[in-house]
Amino acid sequence: MVLALVTSLVLATVPSRGDGPDAPRDLPEPEGAAEFAERSASARLIDVRTPAEYADGHLSGAELIDVQGEDFRERVEELPRDEPYYLYCRSGNRSGHAARVMAAMGFADVTNIGGYEKLVEAGLSPDG
């Protein structure tokens, strides 16, 4: 029992994979939408869903870079690493994955702002 307690205390103090100063942030939709709206002049919005999902509707000003596409890393490699990026998908899962990949590639300011529908509900403008 003591060993289990010590182990859990040690594990609680060790950063999990993806934590640290360069790790991407995950913001729930209302907070993520508000932060992106404040920084929209200096930030890039990336929709990481499929082209079909994007065609059905996307956020105004969003650039499509499909995280499941074969060219995802190549497309991301072309982006400046010192700009802020806000990523979204349908639910926040794929954008969270894409944010972690971008952080591992050396992007300093990447934020997963969650799912499309909730972002629209939170006040971001849809296109399409």
Side-chain angles (χ1 to χ4, degrees), residues 25-69:
R25 296 179 305 141
D26 287 313
L27 291 179
E29 289 81 8
E31 291 83 0
E35 182 177 310
F36 174 73
E38 289 175 15
R39 295 182 71 189
S40 63
S42 65
R44 291 177 72 169
L45 183 62
I46 300 177
D47 184 328
V48 300
R49 300 176 300 159
T50 66
E53 289 173 301
Y54 184 85
D56 284 342
H58 55 273
L59 296 177
S60 181
E63 174 182 358
L64 174 64
I65 304 179
D66 180 359
V67 69
Q68 296 173 331

Side-chain angles (χ1 to χ4, degrees), residues 82-95:
D82 59 347
E83 293 183 13
Y85 295 92
Y86 289 83
L87 283 56
Y88 72 93
C89 62
R90 184 184 52 79
S91 67
N93 289 329
R94 286 177 284 175
S95 51

Side-chain angles (χ1 to χ4, degrees), residues 55-119:
D56 284 342
H58 55 273
L59 296 177
S60 181
E63 174 182 358
L64 174 64
I65 304 179
D66 180 359
V67 69
Q68 296 173 331
E70 292 178 13
D71 64 344
F72 176 75
R73 285 183 181 267
E74 292 170 18
R75 300 262 324 270
V76 168
E77 195 69 45
E78 297 171 358
L79 301 172
R81 283 175 168 62
D82 59 347
E83 293 183 13
Y85 295 92
Y86 289 83
L87 283 56
Y88 72 93
C89 62
R90 184 184 52 79
S91 67
N93 289 329
R94 286 177 284 175
S95 51
H97 170 72
R100 288 187 297 277
V101 169
M102 289 178 69
M105 292 174 71
F107 288 83
D109 190 355
V110 182
T111 304
N112 171 19
I113 58 174
Y116 172 73
E117 297 289 332
K118 290 186 178 180
L119 290 165

